[in-house]
């Protein structure tokens, strides 16, 4: 099982090593570490780990939270295998078939963002939806820019695509609120897909 752990820790020499040592003691194999932010003397890192069947996410949270200065912000199952380059694969598929750009994007976003589902909504109707997405969804608001929020026990990322008249909704049922680094990455990918899709319409 692949897990992602979001950990806030003091930004000082040895801090990352202590967390890695604690995960190793639990039998977790660290596959990737992503630094999301470093400011005000603290760092927020995402650890992607291969988790042993005998362990549990609760055990990892308990062990890491007991370390001085360490705060576990979330532990959740992920489908993004380190080194798989899902974003490049997505863009290649869209470039090959730009007319289906947004449908392809919606299918790929859960894996790219460590989320359960995503959909594209226009005029209150669902235009495209990934697997596990609900048949209907009431968009909490129509923001003019990318935002995150919580609604109905879900952590949401809302990304407007003004040129296409769409709003993309990405939902995470487990784990923490989407970090701004995740939002910025998703927004850049959406921007590229939007440009590719618009060229298909013009052509």
């Amino acid at each position: 099982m692949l897990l992602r752990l979001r950990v806030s820790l003091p930004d000082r020499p040895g801090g990352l090593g202590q967390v890695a040592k604690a995960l190793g003691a639990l039998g977790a194999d660290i596959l990737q570490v992503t630094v999301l932010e470093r400011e005000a003397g603290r760092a927020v890192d995402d650890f992607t780990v291969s988790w042993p069947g005998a362990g549990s996410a609760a055990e990892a949270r308990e062990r890491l939270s007991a370390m001085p200065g360490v705060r576990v912000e979330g532990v959740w199952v992920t489908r993004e295998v380190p080194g798989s380059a899902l974003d490049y694969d997505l863009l290649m598929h869209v470039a090959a078939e730009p007319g289906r750009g947004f449908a392809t994007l919606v299918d790929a976003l859960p894996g790219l963002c460590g989320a359960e589902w995503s959909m594209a909504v226009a005029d209150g109707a669902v235009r495209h939806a990934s697997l596990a997405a609900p048949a209907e969804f009431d968009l909490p608001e129509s923001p003019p820019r990318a935002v995150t929020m919580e609604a109905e026990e879900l952590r949401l990322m809302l990304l407007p695509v003004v040129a296409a008249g769409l709003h993309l909704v990405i939902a995470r049922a487990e784990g923490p609120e989407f970090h701004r680094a995740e939002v910025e990455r998703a927004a850049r990918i959406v921007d590229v897909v939007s440009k590719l899709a618009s060229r298909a319409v013009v052509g």
Side-chain angles (χ1 to χ4, degrees):
M1 177 172 61
L2 289 181
L3 285 182
R4 186 177 296 176
L5 300 93
R6 182 159 300 165
V7 181
S8 173
L9 65 155
D11 187 14
R12 61 182 180 225
L16 191 62
Q18 288 181 319
V19 173
K21 184 177 180 181
L23 289 171
L26 290 168
D29 183 15
I30 299 174
L31 304 177
Q32 180 173 282
V33 180
T34 302
V35 179
L36 297 177
E37 70 177 64
R38 297 178 66 183
E39 58 184 36
R42 294 192 67 82
V44 178
D45 299 334
D46 271 3
F47 293 81
T48 302
V49 303
S50 177
W51 194 254
S56 70
E59 187 179 4
R61 181 186 292 274
E62 181 179 351
R63 179 73 64 90
L64 295 177
S65 297
M67 298 172 60
V70 173
R71 183 172 65 250
V72 180
E73 297 189 354
V75 182
W76 69 105
V77 176
T78 181
R79 291 177 289 174
E80 186 174 2
V81 179
S84 57
L86 295 179
D87 46 359
Y88 295 113
D89 291 342
L90 163 65
L91 296 177
M92 286 179 62
H93 285 299
V94 174
E97 198 172 353
R100 295 195 69 258
F102 288 110
T104 302
L105 173 65
V106 167
D107 287 340
L109 281 172
L112 284 166
C113 299
E116 274 69 34
W117 55 263
S118 66
M119 63 172 56
V121 180
D123 299 324
V126 177
R127 297 297 176 87
H128 308 288
S130 70
L131 292 175
E136 298 180 356
F137 184 77
D138 292 327
L139 190 66
E141 59 181 70
S142 299
R145 57 182 176 80
V147 299
T148 63
M149 65 175 60
E150 293 194 20
E152 301 178 0
E153 300 182 353
L154 294 171
R155 268 66 71 193
L156 301 177
M157 185 193 310
L158 305 180
L159 301 166
V161 188
V162 177
L166 296 172
H167 272 84
L168 297 174
V169 181
I170 307 167
R172 177 183 284 163
E174 299 180 2
E177 181 179 345
F178 290 99
H179 190 274
R180 66 174 181 269
E182 294 179 288
V183 177
E184 290 168 0
R185 178 193 181 208
R188 287 195 296 269
I189 292 171
V190 169
D191 186 52
V192 174
V193 171
S194 179
K195 286 180 170 60
L196 290 171
S198 66
R199 289 176 184 173
V201 172
V202 171

